[in-house]
């Protein structure tokens, strides 16, 4: 593609996170909570400003009633009643009086007044001891976000479920929980100001097959609603007002890619075996039972990572044991006889249920997350473990625990599992007594004591997303440090190598389920380091297979040896990419 855009065309560069090309009109989401300017209004505008507040309240009330109706239809009256509390907040006379007074007496513009007053009320409630009242603080913030969106004329994340026509979304950022509910037919692609390759939003986009580019800087401030854009999820660009020539070039590229996709599809039933006869198991990462059919369709041999926490997002109540059992059972049955590895809850970090949004930790990725939450909340953990055990009677289910940092945590988690086994035995409820229990290696400390863990864990699954982030002290969500996020850093690779060596000594198998496993350029490296399984998003599975079937283990091993002794992450990436491109050039064709 041309480097210098022709006049009229503007190109923005970001980080490509989900392949594919999309074009269409853009909807720019706002920053309701931020950037609200306070200005003084002339006396003659006070009446109009007060009327604007009323209109925004009426519109918000209408939205809430509509959401309530939809929830009532989908989940029942009980679930929908939570919106009664939201309606009460919206109509709170004390809050409204104060907003009106501020507009009238201090002559402050409506949005600034509403934001200041609602934040004051929310902060006051948020500081109280009482759980119920603290939750009302979250309600106030939710409602005030909606009112402010109306006052500012913004669409918000919440509106993405009711888009009038197919479009491309540009947003400051998208929560993974929002991305999970995007309608593929209506959202052709999305770009965000912030974000990194291994953020859960990026992972979700790949899963949904929605082209996406993150880390686009301040694109939401530069592109206007309704402009026509072309978003390239391979190259990582957003082109505003593309010329006919650009559209033509992309059209051709799309055709070539479609032809290659067909070739990949033909590999579905073929195993991933290197040219010198070494088999690597290719599994798929999913986060919802509805994704199970895509596992088979992709040619994956089972599920290597079921991110169970997504069952807990986007809802007020936590899922019951029965609901979870049904979900895990569906996954297990649909991939049988292949295994389904269910990862226990990895809440925290960028994944928080709506009810916990107020936790507001300073360093959520170093905080109350994953196994730490589960060990602190025995009932929550017990419910999930029982559900997984019950599902194990219907297929080959394995469990793995996330964010384990050492043997004590693993033993505590296992003890909780053992208590659940005993309960089920007493209740005569069937489960698989031979169910394998593994550990995710994603905390550097766990890799360093992998020899200890390997004595008691049946398998390891290396989470390279977090392992890279924690080893290099790089926030996987922060685009400013995205260039430092390097899974090919020799420090990360040495931890992977230690993990594999420890597993070998104890006759355990090792998989990789981080995003690295689905990146063709890095697959030779992982194969050379000696992994037994690669688990990637279903959309990446065919490319990974294609590559492995053209690779020789001997070449991959030579690459791994070089990498472990290398000085620099970039040298390793380039060497691995060069080998991948040499054996499977089709995967890297960009023009
Ligand atoms: C990882 O950290 O690599 C991983 C697979 O887990 P998640 O991306 O869900 O944190
Ligand atoms: Mg992780």
């Amino acid at each position: 593609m041309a480097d210098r855009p022709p006049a009229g065309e503007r190109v923005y560069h970001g980080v490509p996170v989900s392949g594919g090309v999309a074009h269409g009109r853009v909807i720019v989401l706002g920053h309701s909570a931020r950037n609200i300017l306070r200005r003084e209004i002339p006396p003659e505008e006070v009446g109009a400003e007060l009327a604007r507040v009323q209109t925004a309240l009426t519109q918000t009330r209408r939205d809430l009633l509509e959401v309530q109706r939809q929830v009532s239809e989908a989940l029942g009256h009980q679930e929908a009643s939570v919106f009664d509390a939201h309606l009460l907040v919206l109509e709170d006379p004390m809050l409204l009086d104060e907003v009106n007074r501020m507009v009238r007496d201090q002559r402050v513009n409506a949005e600034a007044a509403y934001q200041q007053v609602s934040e004051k009320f929310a902060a006051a409630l948020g500081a109280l001891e009482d759980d119920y009242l603290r939750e009302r603080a979250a309600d106030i913030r939710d409602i005030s976000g909606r009112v402010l969106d109306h006052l500012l004329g913004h669409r918000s994340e919440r509106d993405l479920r009711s888009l009038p026509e197919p479009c491309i979304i540009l947003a400051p950022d998208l929560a993974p929980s929002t991305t999970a509910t995007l309608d593929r037919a209506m959202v052709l692609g999305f770009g965000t100001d912030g974000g990194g390759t291994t953020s859960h939003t990026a992972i979700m986009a790949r899963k949904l097959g929605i082209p996406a580019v993150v880390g686009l800087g301040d694109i939401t401030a530069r592109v206007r609603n309704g402009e026509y854009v072309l978003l390239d999820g391979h190259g990582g660009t957003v082109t505003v007002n593309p010329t006919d020539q650009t559209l033509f070039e992309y059209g051709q590229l799309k055709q070539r890619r479609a032809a290659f996709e067909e070739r990949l599809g033909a590999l579905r039933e073929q195993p991933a075996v290197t040219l010198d006869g070494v088999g690597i198991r290719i599994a798929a990462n999913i986060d919802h039972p509805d994704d199970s059919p895509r596992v088979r369709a992709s040619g994956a041999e089972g599920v290597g990572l079921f991110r169970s926490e997504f069952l807990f997002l986007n809802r007020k109540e936590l899922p019951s044991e029965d609901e979870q059992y049904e979900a895990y059972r569906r996954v297990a049955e649909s991939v049988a006889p292949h295994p389904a590895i269910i990862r226990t809850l990895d809440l925290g970090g960028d994944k928080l249920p709506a009810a916990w949004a107020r936790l507001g930790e300073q360093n959520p990725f170093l905080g109350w997350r994953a196994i730490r939450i589960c060990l602190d909340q025995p009932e929550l953990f017990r419910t999930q473990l029982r559900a997984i055990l019950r599902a194990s009677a219907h297929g080959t289910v394995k469990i793995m625990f996330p964010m384990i940092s050492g043997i004590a945590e693993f033993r505590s988690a296992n003890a909780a599992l053992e208590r659940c086994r005993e309960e089920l035995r007493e209740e005569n409820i069937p489960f698989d007594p031979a169910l394998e229990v593994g550990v995710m290696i994603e905390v550097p400390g766990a890799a360093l004591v992998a020899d200890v863990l390997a004595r008691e864990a049946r398998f390891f699954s290396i989470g390279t997303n977090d392992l890279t982030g924690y080893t290099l002290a790089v926030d996987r969500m922060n685009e400013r440090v995205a260039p430092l996020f390097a899974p090919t850093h020799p420090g990360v690779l040495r931890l992977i190598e230690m993990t594999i060596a420890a597993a070998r000594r104890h006759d355990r198998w090792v998989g990789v389920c981080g995003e690295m496993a689905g990146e063709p350029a890095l697959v030779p490296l992982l194969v050379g380091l000696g992994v037994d399984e690669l688990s990637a998003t279903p959309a990446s599975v065919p490319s990974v297979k294609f590559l492995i079937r053209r690779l020789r283990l001997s070449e991959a091993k030579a690459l791994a040896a070089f990498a472990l002794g290398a000085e620099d992450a970039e040298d390793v990436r380039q060497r691995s990419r060069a080998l991948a491109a040499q054996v499977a050039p089709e995967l890297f064709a960009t023009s």
Side-chain angles (χ1 to χ4, degrees):
M1 296 297 140
D3 267 339
R4 275 174 61 82
E9 186 179 85
R10 285 152 26 225
V11 185
Y12 299 92
H13 295 268
V15 184
V17 292
S18 177
V21 174
H23 45 95
R25 302 256 163 233
V26 81
I27 288 186
V28 185
L29 301 187
H31 316 240
S32 301
R34 303 185 238 157
N35 301 341
I36 291 184
L37 287 182
R38 182 186 168 115
R39 59 190 170 80
E40 192 176 333
I41 46 170
E44 62 275 17
E45 280 182 23
V46 166
E49 209 63 5
L50 290 172
R52 284 208 312 123
V53 176
Q54 280 314 318
T55 310
L57 293 176
T58 311
Q59 287 165 325
T60 308
R61 183 178 166 74
R62 200 190 49 213
D63 296 347
L64 284 173
L65 289 171
E66 176 55 19
V67 176
Q68 188 171 37
R69 189 188 61 74
Q70 287 173 6
V71 172
S72 178
E73 268 175 25
L75 302 170
H77 187 66
Q78 177 78 20
E79 295 284 343
S81 63
V82 296
F83 291 97
D84 292 340
H86 284 201
L87 286 162
L88 283 178
V89 168
L90 182 69
E91 282 152 14
D92 183 344
M94 268 168 61
L95 191 153
L96 293 182
D97 270 2
E98 199 165 328
V99 173
N100 286 342
R101 254 185 287 125
M102 212 167 154
V103 173
R104 212 177 29 235
D105 304 342
Q106 298 175 34
R107 301 220 311 273
V108 171
N109 56 319
E111 39 282 78
Y114 196 90
Q115 188 193 32
Q116 185 176 324
V117 175
S118 60
E119 190 44 42
K120 184 179 114 184
F121 275 60
L125 286 178
L128 298 177
E129 286 293 310
D130 184 304
D131 276 353
Y132 174 81
L133 291 174
R134 273 211 311 270
E135 269 179 33
R136 300 287 74 76
D139 289 348
I140 294 184
R141 291 201 173 100
D142 191 350
I143 295 300
S144 85
R146 288 175 184 273
V147 174
L148 290 170
D149 282 336
H150 280 300
L151 281 169
L152 296 162
H154 280 159
R155 279 186 165 267
S156 73
E157 283 198 18
R158 289 175 283 273
D159 299 324
L160 291 181
R161 290 178 221 179
S162 57
L163 291 167
E165 57 180 354
C167 61
I168 289 173
I169 305 287
L170 292 181
D173 207 348
L174 283 180
S177 51
T178 306
T179 314
T181 60
L182 291 181
D183 177 353
R184 271 188 74 186
M186 294 308 241
V187 179
L188 305 172
F190 73 79
T192 58
D193 292 343
T197 325
T198 60
S199 69
H200 286 97
T201 295
I203 293 171
M204 197 57 61
R206 284 193 281 280
K207 184 209 92 174
L208 292 167
I210 297 182
V213 181
V214 303
L216 284 157
D218 57 352
I219 194 165
T220 53
R222 295 175 181 275
V223 178
R224 287 189 309 278
N225 262 324
E227 283 195 290
Y228 193 84
V229 307
L230 188 147
L231 182 143
D232 177 359
H234 295 289
T237 55
V238 172
T239 308
V240 184
N241 296 327
T243 60
D244 287 348
Q245 177 62 23
T246 303
L247 287 171
F248 173 75
E249 286 174 18
Y250 269 99
Q252 297 226 311
L253 182 58
K254 208 168 169 178
Q255 274 181 13
R256 285 196 293 278
R257 282 194 184 129
F260 181 56
E261 292 292 322
E262 250 181 62
R263 272 180 74 195
L264 288 181
L267 289 181
R268 216 176 80 115
E269 305 300 332
Q270 305 295 323
V273 180
T274 62
L275 290 174
D276 38 8
V278 177
I280 309 286
R281 204 166 48 245
I282 310 293
N285 294 349
I286 62 169
D287 44 64
H288 196 280
D290 290 349
D291 300 335
S292 312
R294 298 185 61 214
V295 176
R296 260 186 196 289
S298 72
E301 299 161 276
V303 169
L305 164 64
F306 177 51
R307 289 187 164 96
S308 64
E309 57 276 6
F310 280 87
L311 293 173
F312 290 65
L313 302 180
N314 285 320
R315 53 190 297 164
K316 283 261 166 183
E317 305 289 333
L318 302 180
S320 66
E321 179 182 318
D322 280 346
E323 183 186 337
Q324 290 188 57
Y325 160 65
E326 289 301 337
Y328 307 144
R329 176 184 170 158
R330 260 176 72 199
V331 175
E333 284 181 342
S334 102
V335 301
H338 297 303
I341 304 182
I342 299 177
R343 172 175 76 184
T344 59
L345 278 175
D346 182 9
L347 290 170
D350 57 346
K351 294 171 291 191
L352 274 183
W356 298 1
R358 64 186 144 73
L359 279 178
E361 294 193 322
Q362 291 273 338
N363 288 302
F365 278 90
L366 297 179
W368 205 49
R369 185 183 167 191
I371 198 69
R372 302 169 182 181
I373 295 184
C374 289
L375 294 176
D376 279 356
Q377 306 262 313
E379 241 345 269
L380 178 80
F381 201 26
R382 172 175 169 265
T383 307
Q384 177 171 46
L385 293 174
R386 283 178 57 104
I388 301 176
L389 283 170
R390 285 170 58 195
S392 72
H394 304 276
T396 309
V397 170
K398 301 176 202 254
I399 291 185
M400 64 185 179
F401 299 122
M403 291 283 296
I404 292 287
S405 59
I407 194 73
E409 259 167 355
F410 183 52
R411 285 187 183 144
S412 303
N414 256 331
L417 183 63
E418 187 48 34
R419 285 193 291 277
C420 293
R421 285 198 192 95
E422 274 162 26
E423 284 178 19
L424 294 181
R425 270 188 220 109
E426 271 167 29
E427 294 165 37
N428 275 327
I429 298 178
F431 64 91
D432 174 8
L435 171 141
E436 286 186 17
V437 184
V439 167
M440 277 197 77
I441 302 290
E442 47 186 352
V443 175
L448 292 165
V449 297
D451 54 337
V452 180
L453 291 165
R455 289 188 215 127
E456 296 176 34
R458 292 291 294 277
F459 64 91
F460 288 147
S461 184
I462 305 178
T464 46
N465 305 336
D466 282 315
L467 186 63
T468 304
Y470 293 136
T471 303
L472 304 180
V474 175
D475 180 351
R476 61 196 271 197
M477 304 291 296
N478 184 341
E479 81 283 4
R480 287 208 187 89
V481 291
L484 299 176
F485 190 94
T488 53
H489 187 292
V492 178
L493 300 178
R494 289 180 198 183
L495 291 174
I496 295 177
E497 197 250 351
M498 279 179 83
T499 305
I500 295 173
R504 288 284 165 273
R505 286 198 295 278
H506 291 86
D507 202 19
R508 310 299 191 207
W509 63 268
V510 182
V512 172
C513 63
E515 293 310 289
M516 191 181 181
E519 215 184 307
L522 304 184
V523 164
L525 189 55
L526 294 174
V527 171
L529 286 167
V531 300
D532 304 287
E533 176 179 292
L534 293 172
S535 190
T537 179
S540 308
V541 165
S543 306
V544 174
K545 253 193 194 180
F546 183 86
L547 182 82
I548 289 177
R549 291 170 60 82
R550 278 160 183 73
L551 195 64
R552 263 176 221 291
L553 183 66
S554 49
E555 295 163 333
K557 276 193 162 162
L559 168 70
F562 161 79
L564 290 168
E567 292 181 356
D568 180 54
E570 197 43 41
D571 292 347
V572 178
R573 173 175 280 278
Q574 279 180 18
R575 275 283 264 274
S576 185
R577 190 181 193 282
L579 176 55
Q582 179 198 321
V583 300
E586 300 90 331
L587 289 173
F588 299 89
T590 53
S591 57

